[in-house]
Amino acid sequence: MASPAISEQLSRLQSSSESASTKASGYADLLQQIVKNKSGAQLTADLKTFLDAILGESLGIILSRELLGHLVGALGAIRDPEVVIAVGQHALELQQSRVVSFEEQDASIRDTLAHAYESSGDHSAAAKVLQGVPLESSQRTINNDYKLRLLIRIVRNYLEDDNTLDADVYLNRAKALLHLCDDRELKLMYQLSHARILDAQRKFLDASREYHDLSFSAVVVDEERMRALSSAIKCTVLAPAGPQRSRFLARLYKDERASQIPEYGILEKMFLDRLITPAEVESFASTLAEHQLARTADGLTVLEKAVTEHNLVGASKVYEDIRFDELGALLGQSPQKAEDFAAQMIEQGRLTGWIDQVDSTIHFVGAGAADGHAPPDGNAKTQPAWSNHGAAVSALWKWDVGVQGLALEVEKVSGAMMIEFP
């Protein structure tokens, strides 16, 4: 409940027959008095009563707009987010029925209210308040930079609460305005938001590309560039093993700055196809975000799955064949789990080899890593009869790969000679 003194002064102003300018000055002075001398619940009550008075029918639209603008400025100076939220929500409720008449003031109130929600950690509420700001208006000019900044702010608030679904919706709306904006800072904010959404959606290689590009931006300070590079390394490590990730690992490993990042050790081991120990996995996991530690359908975390696949590729560099009980012990998985991982990777073309289910053995072909060759019969798990001829076919396969490589080199030399001596 408002203090009696404030209620009395408001009643006197409302019944006054003075000019509009004199009334406006009286209301502005009273507002300064309320903000200066009150705090907490009493400040909230007095400001709500003040709002009721200036948005009532006794004042005209023009005067109400002016006084509402003063109130928005006063709210921006109040440090207590609870007061700002309570008064701001009350203002939105009062003007809801005639928001068209207070469009600019409504946008300012929502902006102030969003700041209060952000400072109190309620980012979803901040995003929802900002959604009410119209991006098209017949009463005021709204430029593309303002629209893009507002949409990206909504996206970033949703991302703070890990709501990637709604964040992605507003990021797509922002994307349509990106080519109309020349503000480099806004474009960087969009790129960072896009990378974070890709990261949260477990599209790790796409996210790594965005983070790595950000790490080269001259607009970003050195500390943030290194943080973006660190995020790029983390996303690449978490990506499924295969030729595409190998290219990303090479790109990051050759970056001279990578050696300064704490995650460089695991990056180096992955690039060189060395086996990663459980202790190294645990140390790396401590640096990851919560969504990067989520468990997949097979009960493993994203990191555990990525490392298991990597170690399987690493094993293919060391062994020509290995039994699944030994492979399981090497990977820290059961023999059946190890077989399932191998079968899936062979089927997807991320590992070259075949499986002998009779002997419970996997045979790796050539260098072991996926190189575009399919298993002999096109399946990850071959028929048992294959094991009778596995060694012979493996030798023939290696011979074919060697002949193919030689033929390619001869063709290159031939092409070079034709260019040089047409």
Side-chain angles (χ1 to χ4, degrees):
M1 184 176 179
S3 60
I6 298 300
S7 298
E8 183 181 345
Q9 290 185 62
L10 284 171
S11 297
R12 191 182 308 121
L13 284 168
Q14 287 174 315
S15 60
S16 173
S17 58
E18 294 176 335
S19 65
S21 60
T22 305
K23 275 189 174 183
S25 178
Y27 276 110
D29 291 342
L30 179 57
L31 176 61
Q32 292 300 319
Q33 179 185 334
I34 293 171
V35 174
K36 183 178 180 180
N37 300 326
K38 308 292 182 181
S39 62
Q42 190 59 61
L43 175 60
T44 302
D46 286 351
L47 287 175
K48 283 185 175 181
T49 303
F50 183 84
L51 266 171
D52 293 336
I54 66 173
L55 292 177
E57 299 295 334
S58 60
L59 296 180
I61 291 294
I62 295 177
L63 184 55
S64 292
R65 284 176 181 166
E66 180 184 346
L67 295 175
L68 194 55
H70 288 315
L71 178 68
V72 172
L75 283 178
I78 296 173
R79 300 303 176 193
D80 187 345
E82 292 185 5
V83 173
V84 177
I85 290 170
V87 176
Q89 287 289 4
H90 187 64
L92 294 181
E93 291 168 6
L94 287 177
Q95 63 184 25
Q96 187 174 10
S97 60
R98 47 181 183 156
V99 67
V100 176
S101 302
F102 298 98
E103 196 171 281
E104 186 173 349
Q105 290 74 20
D106 179 79
S108 298
I109 290 172
R110 289 180 181 277
D111 178 70
T112 304
L113 194 52
H115 279 297
Y117 278 126
E118 289 165 353
S119 64
S120 61
D122 194 348
H123 294 280
S124 290
K128 289 174 182 176
V129 165
L130 292 171
Q131 288 174 30
V133 178
L135 296 181
E136 302 295 337
S137 174
S138 58
Q139 297 185 13
R140 61 191 184 118
T141 302
I142 304 176
N143 60 45
N144 292 318
D145 284 5
Y146 175 85
K147 295 177 184 178
L148 185 59
R149 190 177 297 278
L150 178 66
L151 291 171
I152 290 177
R153 188 178 174 190
I154 294 172
V155 169
R156 297 181 75 177
N157 272 296
Y158 274 130
L159 286 175
E160 288 299 319
D161 281 352
D162 293 325
N163 185 349
T164 55
L165 188 62
D166 287 326
D168 196 29
V169 170
Y170 282 90
L171 188 78
N172 287 332
R173 291 181 61 182
K175 184 178 181 181
L177 296 169
L178 201 60
H179 69 286
L180 301 173
C181 175
D182 296 325
D183 192 321
R184 293 181 66 186
E185 181 185 352
L186 281 178
K187 290 186 176 182
L188 282 173
M189 290 167 64
Y190 171 89
Q191 190 175 358
L192 178 59
S193 299
H194 189 207
R196 290 180 62 184
I197 288 175
L198 291 170
D199 185 355
Q201 292 174 339
R202 300 182 189 173
K203 297 178 180 178
F204 292 120
L205 290 180
D206 293 333
S208 177
R209 183 186 297 108
E210 294 289 339
Y211 281 130
H212 197 221
D213 290 346
L214 272 171
S215 73
F216 288 109
S217 175
V219 180
V220 182
V221 296
D222 289 343
E223 183 181 352
E224 292 299 321
R225 284 204 295 267
M226 297 304 288
R227 188 175 301 171
L229 180 59
S230 174
S231 296
I233 292 174
K234 289 176 183 178
C235 287
T236 304
V237 168
L238 293 172
Q244 191 175 5
R245 190 187 71 162
S246 297
R247 289 193 291 271
F248 274 79
L249 288 171
R251 178 184 179 188
L252 292 169
Y253 184 73
K254 293 174 183 176
D255 192 320
E256 295 178 354
R257 304 167 299 165
S259 59
Q260 304 171 36
I261 303 296
E263 295 81 14
Y264 178 74
I266 198 167
L267 169 67
E268 183 178 37
K269 281 202 165 186
M270 283 204 161
F271 175 71
L272 299 175
D273 287 325
R274 295 173 181 168
L275 298 180
I276 298 172
T277 65
E280 290 170 320
V281 174
E282 186 177 351
S283 175
F284 181 73
S286 65
T287 67
L288 299 180
E290 185 177 349
H291 72 272
Q292 294 172 328
L293 294 171
R295 295 196 175 274
T296 56
D298 53 13
L300 299 175
T301 66
V302 176
L303 175 61
E304 289 170 346
K305 187 173 182 179
V307 170
T308 299
E309 291 181 346
H310 164 78
N311 282 345
L312 184 51
V313 173
S316 74
K317 306 290 185 182
V318 179
Y319 299 91
E320 287 190 359
D321 55 70
I322 185 172
R323 291 181 57 83
F324 281 115
D325 53 352
E326 297 172 343
L327 182 61
L330 188 67
L331 300 179
Q333 304 291 339
S334 67
Q336 182 59 50
K337 204 85 167 177
E339 182 179 354
D340 291 341
F341 267 105
Q344 184 182 44
M345 291 182 68
I346 293 173
E347 185 178 354
Q348 294 173 350
R350 296 188 287 135
L351 186 69
T352 308
W354 67 91
I355 292 172
D356 184 341
Q357 289 183 303
V358 173
D359 290 340
S360 297
T361 304
I362 178 172
H363 298 265
F364 300 111
V365 174
D371 56 6
H373 296 284
D377 62 354
N379 294 311
K381 298 184 178 181
T382 66
Q383 299 298 324
W386 176 258
S387 61
N388 297 327
H389 310 287
V393 174
S394 177
L396 287 173
W397 200 329
K398 291 178 181 177
W399 174 266
D400 287 346
V401 171
V403 171
Q404 184 182 22
L406 179 61
L408 287 173
E409 291 300 322
V410 170
E411 185 178 353
K412 286 181 183 177
V413 172
S414 174
M417 291 177 67
M418 290 180 67
I419 293 173
E420 186 70 24
F421 307 104

PDB file of all heavy atoms in Angstrom, residues 127 158 310:
ATOM      1  N   ALA A 127      13.905 -13.358 -21.957  1.00  0.00           N
ATOM      2  CA  ALA A 127      13.649 -13.624 -23.376  1.00  0.00           C
ATOM      3  C   ALA A 127      12.168 -13.449 -23.705  1.00  0.00           C
ATOM      4  O   ALA A 127      11.813 -12.869 -24.737  1.00  0.00           O
ATOM      5  CB  ALA A 127      14.109 -15.042 -23.726  1.00  0.00           C
ATOM      6  N   TYR A 158      17.976 -17.353 -24.071  1.00  0.00           N
ATOM      7  CA  TYR A 158      17.520 -18.748 -24.108  1.00  0.00           C
ATOM      8  C   TYR A 158      18.704 -19.705 -23.960  1.00  0.00           C
ATOM      9  O   TYR A 158      18.593 -20.749 -23.300  1.00  0.00           O
ATOM     10  CB  TYR A 158      16.765 -19.029 -25.399  1.00  0.00           C
ATOM     11  CG  TYR A 158      15.293 -18.678 -25.327  1.00  0.00           C
ATOM     12  CD1 TYR A 158      14.682 -17.905 -26.312  1.00  0.00           C
ATOM     13  CD2 TYR A 158      14.505 -19.122 -24.275  1.00  0.00           C
ATOM     14  CE1 TYR A 158      13.327 -17.586 -26.241  1.00  0.00           C
ATOM     15  CE2 TYR A 158      13.152 -18.808 -24.196  1.00  0.00           C
ATOM     16  CZ  TYR A 158      12.577 -18.044 -25.187  1.00  0.00           C
ATOM     17  OH  TYR A 158      11.242 -17.739 -25.100  1.00  0.00           O
ATOM     18  N   HIS A 310      37.769 -43.311 -30.927  1.00  0.00           N
ATOM     19  CA  HIS A 310      39.151 -42.912 -31.242  1.00  0.00           C
ATOM     20  C   HIS A 310      40.130 -44.023 -30.902  1.00  0.00           C
ATOM     21  O   HIS A 310      41.028 -44.346 -31.692  1.00  0.00           O
ATOM     22  CB  HIS A 310      39.529 -41.651 -30.471  1.00  0.00           C
ATOM     23  CG  HIS A 310      41.008 -41.412 -30.440  1.00  0.00           C
ATOM     24  ND1 HIS A 310      41.708 -40.892 -31.501  1.00  0.00           N
ATOM     25  CD2 HIS A 310      41.937 -41.681 -29.474  1.00  0.00           C
ATOM     26  CE1 HIS A 310      42.992 -40.829 -31.206  1.00  0.00           C
ATOM     27  NE2 HIS A 310      43.156 -41.303 -29.974  1.00  0.00           N
TER      28      HIS A 310
END
